[in-house]
Amino acid sequence: MSKKLLALSLLTIIANNCYGFDYDKIYYQIHGGWAKLNKASHNHNILYTNMNAAMVGAAWGYDVSSVLRTQIDAEYRFNQKLSAESVDEAHALDYRVYTGTLAWTNCIDMANFYNVIPYIGFGIGVARISGKAKFIRGDFTTDGSANRIKPSINFHWKMLAGFAYKVRDDLYFSIDYGYKSFGKLKKTPRANLTGIEVAFAIRTRF
C-alpha cells in the first residue's frame, strides 16, 4: 500500500508542475561504477559466491521543480560471474551473466549545503538477464547442457541515496549508493538476483 501511495504522490507532483514545460530544464546524464550482485536460491543445498561487475548507464531527465527530478535511465552490467556449488560438491557451475535495465526514476533533492545536495530516489522498470555457461559439473541445468541462459525479462525496481555537487547551474557531479532488484535467473538452480551498486555521474544540459 505504501508503494502505491508513493507512486501516486510522485505522479501528482509531476502533474501539478509539468503544465508549463520548459526545455531549459531538460538534462542528460552519464554514469558508471561498481556493482555487486547477491543471490537467493530456492534450493538451500546450493552455495553461491558473490558476483562483482562494472556498470555503465545514461539518462534523460527533467527538473520538475526545485526538489523533484524525473528521468528515464538505461544501465548495463557486464561479465558478472555467477558461481554455485552443491553442498555435496557433486554439482557446480560458472556462468557469465549480463544484466540490462530500463527504468523510470524519480529523485528528491534535499537542501543545498554550499553546493552539496543530498538526494534520494526510487525507480521501477524492466530488467533483461542473459548469460552463458563457462564451466559445469553434474546436472545443474534443466536439460543437463552447458549452453546459454535463456534471456528473461523481469520487473525491476531500485532505491538510491547520494550526494550531488553543483559546479554551476548546468553541471553537476554526483555519487550514489543503490539497492536494486532484477528478478529471477531462469535456469536451474533458479536464483533471485538483487544487488548493491556505487555509481559516479555527470549531469548537464545542452
Side-chain angles (χ1 to χ4, degrees), residues 25 46 59-60 69 73 78 116 123 131 141 149 159 164 167 179 186 198 201 203:
K25 294 183 177 181
I46 304 302
W60 174 87
R69 294 180 284 114
D73 51 64
F78 49 91
V116 176
T141 60
I149 299 173
M159 298 183 296
V167 180
Y179 178 85
K186 294 183 178 179
V198 176
R203 188 168 82 243

Side-chain angles (χ1 to χ4, degrees), residues 95-98 129-133 147-151 185:
Y95 277 112
R96 292 296 185 269
V97 180
Y98 306 87
I129 305 173
S130 62
K132 185 178 181 180
N147 55 5
R148 292 183 180 274
I149 299 173
K150 183 179 180 181
L185 179 66

Side-chain angles (χ1 to χ4, degrees), residues 21-150:
F21 188 86
D22 186 351
Y23 286 96
D24 290 335
K25 294 183 177 181
I26 297 175
Y27 65 83
Y28 306 89
Q29 175 179 292
I30 57 173
H31 55 274
W34 167 82
K36 179 179 180 180
L37 272 74
N38 305 308
K39 289 75 55 189
S41 175
H42 297 292
N43 187 338
H44 296 292
N45 294 319
I46 304 302
L47 303 176
Y48 280 104
T49 57
N50 291 328
M51 294 189 290
N52 296 283
M55 181 272 290
V56 295
W60 174 87
Y62 184 79
D63 290 322
V64 179
S65 69
S66 60
V67 297
L68 177 65
R69 294 180 284 114
T70 186
Q71 66 185 41
I72 300 296
D73 51 64
E75 297 173 342
Y76 186 70
R77 301 149 194 87
F78 49 91
N79 203 31
Q80 300 161 347
K81 182 180 179 181
L82 168 58
S83 297
E85 189 171 23
S86 59
V87 175
D88 60 8
E89 299 183 354
H91 311 283
L93 60 77
D94 184 358
Y95 277 112
R96 292 296 185 269
V97 180
Y98 306 87
T99 306
T101 56
L102 181 66
W104 173 43
T105 305
N106 291 279
C107 296
I108 298 175
D109 292 330
M110 310 299 185
N112 187 328
F113 300 99
Y114 298 98
N115 290 335
V116 176
I117 306 169
Y119 62 88
I120 57 174
F122 179 79
I124 57 174
V126 294
R128 183 183 188 274
I129 305 173
S130 62
K132 185 178 181 180
K134 292 294 185 180
F135 168 79
I136 192 165
R137 180 174 73 244
D139 187 11
F140 241 167
T141 60
T142 304
D143 56 5
S145 62
N147 55 5
R148 292 183 180 274
I149 299 173
K150 183 179 180 181

